[in-house]
Amino acid sequence: MSATTENEAPTERQQAVLDAVLDLLVEGGDQLTMTAVARRASCSKETLYKWFGDRDGLLAATVRWQASKVRAGNYDRQKLDAEALRDSLEAFAANWLKVISSRTSIALNRVAVSHAASARSNLGRIVLDNGRFAIGERLKPLLEAGRAAGLLAFDDAEEAFRSFFGLVGRDVQIRVLLGDPLKLSTAAIERDSKHAVDQFFTLFEAGGTRPKIHSL
Amino acid sequence: MSATTENEAPTERQQAVLDAVLDLLVEGGDQLTMTAVARRASCSKETLYKWFGDRDGLLAATVRWQASKVRAGNYDRQKLDAEALRDSLEAFAANWLKVISSRTSIALNRVAVSHAASARSNLGRIVLDNGRFAIGERLKPLLEAGRAAGLLAFDDAEEAFRSFFGLVGRDVQIRVLLGDPLKLSTAAIERDSKHAVDQFFTLFEAGGTRPKIHSL
DNA sequence: TTTGAACCGTACCGTACGTTACGGTTCGGC
DNA sequence: GCCGAACCGTAACGTACGGTACGGTTCAAA
């Protein structure tokens, strides 16, 4: 038995299995049966149970595997001027929008939400820790650096981040989770990210000389 | 057969059945079996199928029933000064936060998200239409009245509403859907609503003389 | 009083799926 | 070459649940 505890990294063969799970999940959440996974990954069900314990263990390993693929670099740079801060925030926003609107993320969030309804597994917490809270922990140091550099003004980095989160995500995540055929092109993500960062600066820029921005 | 088409209102007996569904749903999403509903509502399964067609029909009727209970009044008033606009926006925000953090709404959104994964029913669309889009259609007239009264400045009411939606909801909905034990007291909802409306005015107030607000 | 529609409770059926068991194959170590 | 571990493919098991059938009861209309 391996890959069931959250610390062990899956072997290459196990990664192939987890990618098969992701494929099936994207193709339709209800197609994810153990038999289908075994067939798609060309492995036996016995092996699945040996490696992952049970169905929930397989799902948890899949979530962690996807999270490890999506983790982007930390945007810590030496000189932080207004331009660099804006670029980093826009990069954060664009990356986040790209992730939450991807078919893989939608499928994983759906199964995690489903499991959260019956508290028999901790999939929801895993997704939260690798999504919402992970990006929070990566973004807050940047916000605090911006404050230290005299570019931003706020009392609580957590609250500032939550505002940023809301300005960027808006209604996107709930809409895609509920099946709204919302398509976010790369250009739209770029534009929405800039817009959100503009709004964020309007709310939190230190000094307050920047004119307000209303339209796209 | 009745209550299956979206226009017929459920009879009193049927409402009792739908309330039983809501109860079971809140107690744990996986407990919602047709047998459990029949037992809880003291009715026969045959009646359930006669009234609602199948399991999905029962769920759809439940969503519509809950939506009909939650619909609040429209905030259209004659004289719209800055104070009235602010009050109305805060009332909208507080009501929305209260709804999305309620156990009933969480449970219903979870089953709708689950169903959206396998496109065999339109629960997701029903929830979107009665939630996200319903509040949008109710709020946009208020925003446009505010603009007509010279209190707000924006190009697109839909975009302004989406910003409002993000500032109010932030990370609340995804967190509760994923099982985060986030508790929103009435006082917290009140405070967060005021804060969100403050931020909204900072972004969209016409004229722009208001000082920016950073802290809680 | 009769009758029939509506409904309750329960037994029943078919199926899907998680889980286990097992025979056969591959392959690295001795 | 031999052994055992790991693994594949498939069959089998148990159960949960959606959906149906049916006998018994209530009750209102004729």
Side-chain angles (χ1 to χ4, degrees):
Chain A
M1 168 150 20
S2 66
T4 63
T5 62
E6 54 253 44
N7 297 328
E8 298 177 47
T11 68
E12 210 155 309
R13 182 75 181 99
Q14 288 167 346
Q15 292 176 13
V17 170
L18 298 180
D19 281 329
V21 174
L22 288 175
D23 281 353
L24 285 169
L25 229 35
V26 166
E27 290 173 18
D30 55 348
Q31 313 194 17
L32 194 88
T33 68
M34 299 302 277
T35 303
V37 172
R39 189 161 39 221
R40 178 69 62 102
S42 294
C43 71
S44 73
K45 293 209 268 180
E46 194 180 23
T47 301
L48 291 183
Y49 284 97
K50 185 175 176 186
W51 284 348
F52 305 105
D54 57 7
R55 189 175 186 274
D56 283 351
L58 177 60
L59 284 174
T62 303
V63 168
R64 276 190 275 264
W65 166 236
Q66 169 66 12
S68 78
K69 290 201 293 187
V70 127
R71 233 184 293 282
N74 272 344
Y75 301 80
D76 47 1
R77 37 180 100 192
Q78 312 307 331
K79 58 167 197 52
L80 188 67
D81 55 8
E83 212 54 41
L85 176 60
R86 172 175 294 266
D87 287 347
S88 292
L89 289 177
E90 284 179 8
F92 260 104
N95 183 58
W96 180 243
L97 280 176
K98 177 157 149 282
V99 167
I100 66 174
S101 63
S102 71
R103 292 171 61 96
T104 309
S105 163
I106 294 171
L108 282 177
N109 273 277
R110 278 179 179 156
V111 313
V113 166
S114 308
H115 273 60
S118 51
R120 87 192 110 84
S121 86
N122 54 345
L123 263 191
R125 171 111 317 261
I126 297 175
V127 170
L128 271 179
D129 286 343
N130 288 285
R132 152 69 178 85
F133 289 110
I135 190 178
E137 292 315 306
R138 289 198 291 129
L139 189 52
K140 280 193 285 187
L142 179 62
L143 297 179
E144 280 159 350
R147 179 174 59 182
L151 301 170
L152 296 176
F154 54 82
D155 293 336
D156 183 352
E158 173 72 10
E159 287 299 315
F161 167 71
R162 293 183 75 196
S163 292
F164 183 80
F165 187 97
L167 286 171
V168 173
R170 300 193 290 182
D171 57 357
V172 171
Q173 195 155 23
I174 189 62
R175 282 173 69 172
V176 296
L177 285 183
L178 285 171
D180 193 9
L182 181 62
K183 281 301 164 206
L184 286 185
S185 66
T186 307
I189 287 180
E190 201 80 9
R191 176 166 42 79
D192 291 352
S193 299
K194 286 186 190 302
H195 187 217
V197 172
D198 278 341
Q199 291 181 322
F200 183 75
F201 271 113
T202 304
L203 292 177
F204 293 99
E205 190 172 42
T209 59
R210 162 175 294 275
K212 293 189 296 184
I213 293 167
H214 294 137
S215 61
L216 288 181
Chain B
M1 171 152 16
S2 65
T4 63
T5 61
E6 53 253 45
N7 297 328
E8 299 177 46
T11 69
E12 209 154 312
R13 182 77 180 99
Q14 290 168 345
Q15 292 177 13
V17 171
L18 298 180
D19 282 329
V21 174
L22 288 175
D23 282 352
L24 287 169
L25 230 33
V26 166
E27 290 173 19
D30 54 348
Q31 312 194 18
L32 194 88
T33 68
M34 300 300 279
T35 303
V37 172
R39 189 161 40 221
R40 178 69 63 101
S42 294
C43 73
S44 72
K45 290 210 278 180
E46 193 179 22
T47 303
L48 291 183
Y49 285 98
K50 184 177 176 184
W51 283 348
F52 304 104
D54 58 7
R55 190 174 184 275
D56 284 350
L58 177 60
L59 284 174
T62 303
V63 168
R64 277 191 274 263
W65 166 235
Q66 168 67 10
S68 79
K69 291 201 292 186
V70 127
R71 234 184 292 280
N74 273 344
Y75 299 79
D76 45 2
R77 37 180 100 191
Q78 312 306 331
K79 61 167 193 53
L80 189 67
D81 56 8
E83 213 54 41
L85 176 59
R86 172 175 295 265
D87 288 348
S88 292
L89 289 177
E90 284 179 8
F92 260 104
N95 183 58
W96 180 242
L97 280 175
K98 177 158 151 281
V99 167
I100 66 174
S101 63
S102 71
R103 291 172 61 94
T104 309
S105 162
I106 294 171
L108 283 177
N109 272 278
R110 280 179 179 155
V111 313
V113 166
S114 307
H115 272 60
S118 50
R120 86 191 111 83
S121 85
N122 54 345
L123 263 192
R125 171 111 318 261
I126 298 175
V127 170
L128 272 180
D129 286 344
N130 287 285
R132 152 68 179 85
F133 289 110
I135 190 179
E137 292 315 306
R138 287 199 292 130
L139 189 52
K140 281 193 285 186
L142 179 61
L143 297 180
E144 280 158 350
R147 179 173 59 181
L151 300 170
L152 295 176
F154 53 82
D155 293 336
D156 183 352
E158 172 72 9
E159 287 300 313
F161 167 72
R162 293 183 74 196
S163 292
F164 183 80
F165 186 96
L167 286 171
V168 173
R170 300 191 291 181
D171 56 358
V172 170
Q173 195 155 23
I174 190 62
R175 283 173 69 172
V176 297
L177 285 182
L178 285 171
D180 194 6
L182 181 63
K183 282 301 165 204
L184 286 184
S185 67
T186 308
I189 287 179
E190 200 80 11
R191 176 167 41 80
D192 290 353
S193 300
K194 285 187 191 303
H195 186 216
V197 172
D198 278 342
Q199 292 181 322
F200 182 77
F201 270 114
T202 303
L203 293 178
F204 293 98
E205 190 172 40
T209 60
R210 163 175 294 274
K212 292 190 295 184
I213 292 167
H214 295 138
S215 61
L216 288 180

